[in-house]
Amino acid sequence: MGIDLVAGGKSKKTKRTAPRSDDIYLKLIVKLYRFLVRRTGSNFSAVILKRLFMNKVNKPAISLSRLSRFMEGKEGKIAVIVGTVTNDIRIQEVPKMKVTALRFTEQARARIEKAGGECLTFDQLALIAPLGQNTVLLRGPKNSREAVKHFGAPGVPHSHSKPYVRSKGRKFEKARGKRNSKGFRV
C-alpha cells in the first residue's frame, strides 16, 4: 500500500461534501441550503448544511422534555434541530413552541400541535428565517449511547469504562483487581 500518485496523492479532505443517504427529500433540502450558503454567506445556513451531511450517530434525537428545557425564556423563537424530535412521557405539559426538525415522531408532533405550537420543515424555515433570525439551534445528546460507555480501557486505574461482560454476577470480572480481598483493587 502506498500513495496513489495518479489519483493525486493522499486524500487530505475527508469531511463530507454531500449526504450519503439516497433520500430525495434530504437531497432537496441540501440543494436549498447550498444555495442559501452561497448567496447569503450566513453562518447559520452553513452549520445546517454541514449537519445535514452527518451520519445517524452525529444527528442524535432530542426529546420533548430536553427541548422544552432549552426553550425556556426563549418564547417567540424557533427551535431548530437537524435530527428527530421524540416524545417524552415524563413531562405533563408541553409549552407552546415553534420547532423545525428533519423528523417528528407521531406523538411528539401531536403534543406540540395540541399545545398550540408548530412543527416546521427546513424548507418552511428557509422562507421564514433564511439567515436564521430568531432561531435557537439545538442538538440532542450525542454521548448517551450505550456504546460510548464502553470506550476506553476497563480495569485500569481511574477508568470508568464499562467492560463487555456476559453477566453482572459475582463471578464475572469481580475478583482480582476489583476488590481488596482478592489481591488488589484499582
Side-chain angles (χ1 to χ4, degrees), residues 29-87:
I29 296 170
V30 165
K31 196 178 257 191
L32 169 65
Y33 275 87
R34 265 194 221 282
F35 172 81
L36 283 174
V37 170
R38 194 176 76 243
R39 293 301 295 268
T40 64
S42 97
N43 264 344
F44 172 81
S45 300
V47 171
I48 296 283
L49 184 64
K50 186 176 77 177
R51 290 187 189 180
L52 286 169
F53 297 160
M54 288 180 178
N55 60 3
K56 194 176 176 185
V57 167
N58 290 319
K59 284 189 298 196
I62 191 167
S63 66
L64 275 181
S65 57
R66 204 174 269 264
L67 186 59
S68 58
R69 194 168 75 233
F70 287 146
M71 292 304 286
E72 262 175 36
K74 297 186 178 79
E75 287 76 21
K77 292 197 173 189
I78 304 169
V80 181
I81 299 103
V82 184
T84 308
V85 174
T86 56
N87 184 30

Side-chain angles (χ1 to χ4, degrees), residues 4 9 12 18 31 51 57 65 94 104 119 154-155 165 176 180 186:
D4 187 353
K12 295 185 184 77
K31 196 178 257 191
R51 290 187 189 180
V57 167
S65 57
V94 177
F104 293 89
C119 297
V165 284
R176 190 168 181 275
N180 289 325
V186 291

Side-chain angles (χ1 to χ4, degrees), residues 21-185:
S21 165
D22 289 324
D23 183 356
I24 53 171
Y25 299 107
L26 180 64
K27 285 182 176 177
L28 282 170
I29 296 170
V30 165
K31 196 178 257 191
L32 169 65
Y33 275 87
R34 265 194 221 282
F35 172 81
L36 283 174
V37 170
R38 194 176 76 243
R39 293 301 295 268
T40 64
S42 97
N43 264 344
F44 172 81
S45 300
V47 171
I48 296 283
L49 184 64
K50 186 176 77 177
R51 290 187 189 180
L52 286 169
F53 297 160
M54 288 180 178
N55 60 3
K56 194 176 176 185
V57 167
N58 290 319
K59 284 189 298 196
I62 191 167
S63 66
L64 275 181
S65 57
R66 204 174 269 264
L67 186 59
S68 58
R69 194 168 75 233
F70 287 146
M71 292 304 286
E72 262 175 36
K74 297 186 178 79
E75 287 76 21
K77 292 197 173 189
I78 304 169
V80 181
I81 299 103
V82 184
T84 308
V85 174
T86 56
N87 184 30
D88 195 339
I89 55 171
R90 295 170 299 182
I91 61 163
Q92 274 75 41
E93 299 257 333
V94 177
K96 180 184 174 181
M97 53 189 169
K98 274 188 179 181
V99 188
T100 304
L102 282 177
R103 270 186 73 237
F104 293 89
T105 60
E106 266 181 53
Q107 288 171 319
R109 186 186 291 276
R111 288 187 73 181
I112 290 168
E113 285 171 353
K114 190 182 174 189
E118 269 184 273
C119 297
L120 304 168
T121 57
F122 277 96
D123 53 319
Q124 288 171 318
L125 179 73
L127 292 171
I128 300 166
L131 303 175
Q133 311 95 313
N134 283 329
T135 58
V136 182
L137 195 53
L138 300 171
R139 297 170 112 166
K142 185 184 155 188
N143 289 337
S144 58
R145 290 188 307 141
E146 174 62 25
V148 177
K149 293 177 184 173
H150 295 279
F151 291 173
V156 298
H158 312 300
S159 165
H160 295 288
S161 300
K162 190 176 180 180
Y164 284 107
V165 284
R166 187 175 45 168
S167 180
K168 215 170 180 262
R170 171 187 55 82
K171 300 186 285 187
F172 304 95
E173 297 195 20
K174 288 275 170 59
R176 190 168 181 275
K178 282 291 183 184
R179 39 188 170 155
N180 289 325
S181 62
K182 299 280 184 284
F184 68 100
R185 183 173 190 274

